[in-house]
Amino acid sequence: MKNRSLVSITDYSKQEILYLLDLARKFENNPVSNLLSGRVIASLFFEPSTRTRLSFESAVQRMGGGIIGFSDSNSSSVTKGETLRDTIRTVTNYSDLIVMRHPLEGSAKFASEVSTVPVVNAGDGANQHPTQTMLDLYSIYKTQGTLDGLEIALVGDLKYGRTVHSLLMAMAMFDTRFHFISHPKLQMPDEYKIYLKEKNIHFTESAEFNKKVDSADIIYMTRVQRERFSDPIEYEKTKDTYVLRSNMLQSTKPSMRILHPLPRVNEIHIEVDNDPRAYYFEQALNGVFARQAIIATILGVDHLVK
Ligand code: CP
C-alpha cells in the first residue's frame, strides 16, 4: 500500500482492509505520535466538508505532520481558470500526499494519474468515498465484532450517495446480505447491482421502510444529496421520503447499530440520538483513526505504529 493512491475502495484487497482496521485500532489506543514529523499533507477540497476534512487534519496533526491546502476552491487559483491538472502538478511540489474532494466523478483517478505523490480520494461526485468506507467498516467491526455474514439496510439516496457505493463494494468482500430502501427515483444504480450479482451477493429492493430492517445488523441512513440534482423539483419530491423515528426501531435487534455518514438533514429525527443503537457520532470519531491508518500506510510509517 506504500506510495499507492486510494481512488476506490476496491484498490484494497480484503487482507489490506483487515490490516488497516487493525492499524486503526492501534491508533485509537495511541493516537498521538511523531510518525509524520517533517511530512506535509495537502488537503484540497473543491466541495464543502466538515467531517472528512477536519478528521484528516486531526489525523495528520495527531501524528505530528503538517497540513496545507484549501477548504474552498474560490480561494485558490482555480478561480483564475487554472485546470485540475495544473493545480495537482503544482501541489505535488509542496506535499508528500494529496487528499482531494471534487464534485466530478473520476476526478480522483485523473488526479492520481497526473500526480507524482499519492492521491487519496475524499469523495468524487456521486462516485466513491473510500476513506468514509474505511471508517464505516471500522465502526461496523467495533460494534458487531465481525464483518462477515451481516445484514445491512442501506436507506435513502442510493443513487447519488457515494458512501453507499463504496460501502457496498467493500462489504461485498464479506458475505453480506443487503436491503436497499429508497424512493424509486433514487434507487441503487444498475452497475452496483450487477456488481453484487456477479459476486452472488444477496440483495432486496424496496420503497418501503419495512420488516426487512428488523433483522438488520446495521441500518445505514443517508441524506438525499440535494447538490447532485439538476432539477430542484425532483429534490423536493424525494427529500422527505424517510425520516427515522424511535417507534420505527421497536422490533429491531438490540445489537443493531444506526450509522449515517452525516451531515444529517432530517432523515433521522433527533429523538433517535438518545437510542443506544444510534452510533453516528461515534462513527464520525472513528474517522480520525481510520484516516491515521490510511495515511501512515501510504507514507510507509505503519511499521512504526505501536
Ligand atoms: N461524511 C462526510 O463525507 O461528511 P462531510 O461532507 O462533512 O465531509
Side-chain angles (χ1 to χ4, degrees):
M1 286 180 270
K2 186 179 174 186
N3 287 330
R4 271 166 47 192
S5 290
L6 172 57
V7 172
S8 163
I9 194 66
T10 54
D11 292 339
Y12 289 157
S13 68
K14 182 175 176 178
Q15 280 64 37
E16 288 171 334
I17 286 173
L18 292 173
Y19 173 76
L20 285 169
L21 296 181
D22 189 50
L23 203 56
R25 182 186 54 77
K26 289 182 183 169
F27 276 117
E28 180 164 9
N29 292 335
N30 189 14
V32 180
S33 67
N34 275 315
L35 288 169
L36 295 187
S37 179
R39 304 292 189 101
V40 176
I41 282 71
S43 162
L44 310 183
F45 278 71
F46 295 82
E47 265 194 341
S49 168
T50 297
R51 277 145 293 275
T52 309
R53 186 175 68 81
L54 295 182
S55 64
F56 261 116
E57 292 192 6
S58 178
V60 170
Q61 292 188 15
R62 283 169 202 244
M63 293 190 285
I67 191 134
I68 59 171
F70 51 79
S71 58
D72 178 358
S73 60
N74 287 326
S75 68
S76 77
S77 286
V78 171
T79 55
K80 302 172 197 164
E82 187 165 53
T83 62
L84 181 60
R85 176 193 294 271
D86 287 359
T87 301
I88 295 295
R89 290 187 70 164
T90 302
V91 175
T92 58
N93 293 323
Y94 311 141
S95 61
D96 301 298
L97 182 151
I98 295 173
V99 175
M100 187 183 85
R101 171 172 288 187
H102 197 283
L104 287 181
E105 288 86 13
S107 53
K109 181 160 175 33
F110 174 77
S112 73
E113 288 166 358
V114 298
S115 177
T116 55
V117 301
V119 172
V120 172
N121 182 5
D124 62 327
N127 188 31
Q128 295 279 314
H129 195 348
T131 68
Q132 175 72 41
T133 296
M134 284 310 306
L135 77 92
D136 291 344
L137 296 178
Y138 187 52
S139 300
I140 295 168
Y141 188 78
K142 272 175 70 176
T143 60
Q144 305 300 317
T146 182
L147 292 175
D148 287 303
L150 298 176
E151 256 184 74
I152 299 187
L154 301 175
V155 184
D157 186 348
L158 308 187
K159 179 178 180 184
Y160 296 120
R162 56 195 172 199
T163 65
V164 289
H165 300 159
S166 290
L167 183 60
L168 175 152
M169 295 177 107
M171 287 304 295
M173 301 181 198
F174 295 94
D175 187 26
T176 306
R177 294 167 65 82
F178 289 103
H179 302 299
F180 301 150
I181 300 171
S182 69
H183 186 284
K185 289 194 179 300
L186 297 178
Q187 285 180 346
M188 185 63 76
D190 284 344
E191 65 183 280
Y192 295 103
K193 289 189 264 188
I194 292 167
Y195 186 86
L196 293 183
K197 281 180 185 159
E198 283 174 355
K199 295 183 178 307
N200 285 322
I201 302 288
H202 173 88
F203 65 88
T204 66
E205 270 191 301
S206 172
E208 306 295 323
F209 193 92
N210 56 23
K211 286 281 164 204
K212 297 262 192 256
V213 301
D214 290 353
S215 56
D217 300 293
I218 297 290
I219 299 178
Y220 194 98
M221 298 295 298
T222 61
R223 168 181 73 91
V224 177
Q225 309 273 303
R226 184 180 57 190
E227 63 274 31
R228 311 276 175 235
F229 282 73
S230 51
D231 181 354
I233 295 169
E234 288 297 314
Y235 171 71
E236 289 300 320
K237 279 187 201 161
T238 55
K239 67 176 184 172
D240 294 325
T241 313
Y242 308 102
V243 180
L244 188 64
R245 302 201 62 135
S246 297
N247 62 6
M248 297 159 72
L249 298 169
Q250 279 166 355
S251 306
T252 58
K253 291 159 79 169
S255 59
M256 183 276 290
R257 289 294 175 273
I258 304 159
L259 302 187
H260 190 313
L262 304 178
R264 152 177 67 182
V265 182
N266 64 348
E267 57 281 353
I268 302 179
H269 193 279
I270 56 167
E271 70 188 14
V272 177
D273 294 1
N274 296 324
D275 190 295
R277 289 164 291 194
Y279 192 74
Y280 23 93
F281 291 111
E282 292 93 333
Q283 180 188 358
L285 169 63
N286 289 335
V288 175
F289 314 125
R291 290 177 171 121
Q292 283 184 300
I294 292 166
I295 296 167
T297 306
I298 294 175
L299 292 180
V301 295
D302 48 318
H303 63 286
L304 300 172
V305 177
K306 298 203 171 58

